[in-house]
Amino acid sequence: MQKEKFEAVQRMQDFIESNLNKPITLLDLSEAAGYSESHASRVFKEIVGIAPLEYLRSRRLSRAAESLRDTPRKILDISLEVSFETHEGFLRAFKRRFGFSPGYYRRNTPPIPLFLPRSAMSYYLHYLKGETKMQNIPNENTVFVQVVERPARKLILQRGKAATHYFEYCEEVGCDVWGVLSSIKEAIYEPIGMWLPTNMIKAGTSEYAQGVEVPTNYAGQIPEKMEVIDLEPCRMMVFQTTPYKDEDMGAVINSLQNCIEKYDPGVYGYAWDDQAAPRYQLIPLPERGYIEARPVRKL
């Protein structure tokens, strides 16, 4: 499959994210892609799995849900902000997608499947699979390292079956877990993909999982198919690359993981403490660099 198709879809995704509060037509998206309307729609659905206007509506409803959760703004104002033509249309669409009204969601903020789709370029990397490991990236030795303290906390997670990395996990569980995790209002950090230590892996489940950390006194709803485990206080050594281009993501991740495997924490008076907590990765964002963290203990 030609790389230019993925790049065209990425341009459409970027246009949508930059204009969620403005009217967007299929013509607008086709111009962003550089294709005809019919070809842009066909290529978008081929790569992302849904039609572009359905994708647009799902993103707007998720943005609205985040506003309902995080701000006191009126529901009418939120519906106008995400470009719904009528308030009634917004109410119907929100209930159809999430199962309850915006008012109920604001009062109770149960976990919901926010639509936080993968970028087209991540689909491209999945398509290429191992080929990205052969790429070279500039400044591949520029990595920032710091040690942070993590308090006692709980971890809400969904396990896979045998997954050892993100793409295998998506094939086993699906790619919508992140959206549900992102909707948990009480989260103390952003969602993570993680490699569980052996003492936290249940028989018949995967090493790789996804989850979010919440306070020890969390008493909210646990999403379906997820569970909660307690995490003790620990130290995490955090590794972060410099910002990178979308097309370099696979190479950047591979380079940083190689760096961590070769890194000697003893230089700074630490040792790996892999049974203390999951090793985790944050969602790759080119503008901030790729981030992974591994537990350590003081020597």
Side-chain angles (χ1 to χ4, degrees):
M1 191 180 298
Q2 295 176 345
K3 183 181 179 182
E4 67 178 37
K5 287 186 177 181
F6 293 90
E7 292 173 335
V9 172
Q10 185 67 61
R11 290 195 295 273
M12 287 189 274
Q13 289 181 307
D14 292 342
F15 184 88
I16 287 171
E17 290 304 309
S18 298
N19 296 279
L20 278 176
N21 61 342
K22 301 176 183 177
I24 298 176
T25 66
L26 186 56
L27 177 60
D28 295 326
L29 296 178
S30 70
E31 290 177 347
Y35 292 154
S36 68
E37 291 182 49
S38 59
H39 189 55
S41 183
R42 183 167 57 252
V43 169
F44 192 100
K45 187 170 184 179
E46 176 186 2
I47 291 173
V48 179
I50 59 175
L53 294 184
E54 180 184 350
Y55 175 103
L56 170 62
R57 173 165 286 218
S58 297
R59 285 296 298 126
R60 283 176 166 165
L61 288 169
S62 290
R63 175 68 63 82
E66 291 172 328
S67 294
L68 288 166
R69 181 192 65 190
D70 299 333
T71 75
R73 300 185 63 220
K74 294 181 180 179
I75 294 175
L76 175 59
D77 291 339
I78 292 173
S79 69
L80 294 174
E81 181 185 66
V82 292
S83 295
F84 271 79
E85 293 181 358
T86 67
H87 181 55
E88 292 73 18
F90 170 71
L91 297 179
R92 289 194 300 270
F94 192 95
K95 187 170 185 179
R96 185 162 56 247
R97 176 158 188 86
F98 298 119
F100 30 71
S101 70
Y104 178 91
Y105 177 68
R106 165 165 277 170
R107 291 190 300 272
N108 298 280
T109 59
I112 60 173
L114 294 177
F115 185 68
L116 304 175
R118 291 162 52 188
S119 70
M121 295 312 294
S122 73
Y123 284 102
Y124 180 64
L125 294 178
H126 192 194
Y127 169 72
L128 290 179
K129 295 186 177 178
E131 293 179 23
T132 55
K133 295 182 180 180
M134 301 305 295
Q135 297 176 10
N136 294 315
I137 59 172
N139 301 319
E140 63 178 350
N141 294 319
T142 305
V143 175
F144 303 99
V145 182
Q146 64 174 321
V147 175
V148 299
E149 302 278 347
R150 292 290 231 209
R153 60 226 184 268
K154 292 180 181 293
L155 173 65
I156 299 175
L157 78 160
Q158 183 164 347
R159 302 177 187 271
K161 299 175 182 178
T164 61
H165 57 74
Y166 171 79
F167 290 122
E168 289 179 349
Y169 181 84
C170 284
E171 289 172 359
E172 291 177 0
V173 180
C175 294
D176 57 349
V177 175
W178 206 270
V180 176
L181 296 170
S182 297
S183 76
I184 296 176
K185 186 175 183 178
E186 297 83 355
I188 54 178
Y189 307 109
E190 64 184 278
I192 54 177
M194 73 196 89
W195 293 269
L196 295 166
T198 56
N199 61 350
M200 296 183 188
I201 301 175
K202 290 184 176 181
T205 65
S206 61
E207 172 191 5
Y208 188 88
Q210 289 184 353
V212 71
E213 294 174 349
V214 294
T216 55
N217 62 352
Y218 179 77
Q221 183 178 341
I222 307 302
E224 185 180 0
K225 298 181 181 179
M226 296 191 189
E227 61 182 273
V228 180
I229 60 177
D230 294 314
L231 296 178
E232 297 295 325
C234 70
R235 292 185 174 96
M236 301 295 298
M237 185 168 283
V238 181
F239 297 80
Q240 182 173 2
T241 73
T242 55
Y244 58 88
K245 297 178 181 178
D246 275 324
E247 59 266 28
D248 291 332
M249 181 171 68
V252 168
I253 292 173
N254 185 64
S255 178
L256 181 63
Q257 290 176 339
N258 287 337
C259 172
I260 294 173
E261 292 305 315
K262 297 174 183 177
Y263 191 81
D264 178 13
V267 172
Y268 294 104
Y270 292 94
W272 300 127
D273 193 15
D274 291 326
Q275 297 302 303
R279 173 175 171 172
Y280 68 80
Q281 61 181 175
L282 301 185
I283 188 170
L285 296 175
E287 62 271 19
R288 72 175 178 189
Y290 174 62
I291 300 172
E292 275 197 26
R294 185 173 174 181
V296 292
R297 59 179 172 80
K298 194 75 175 175
L299 290 175

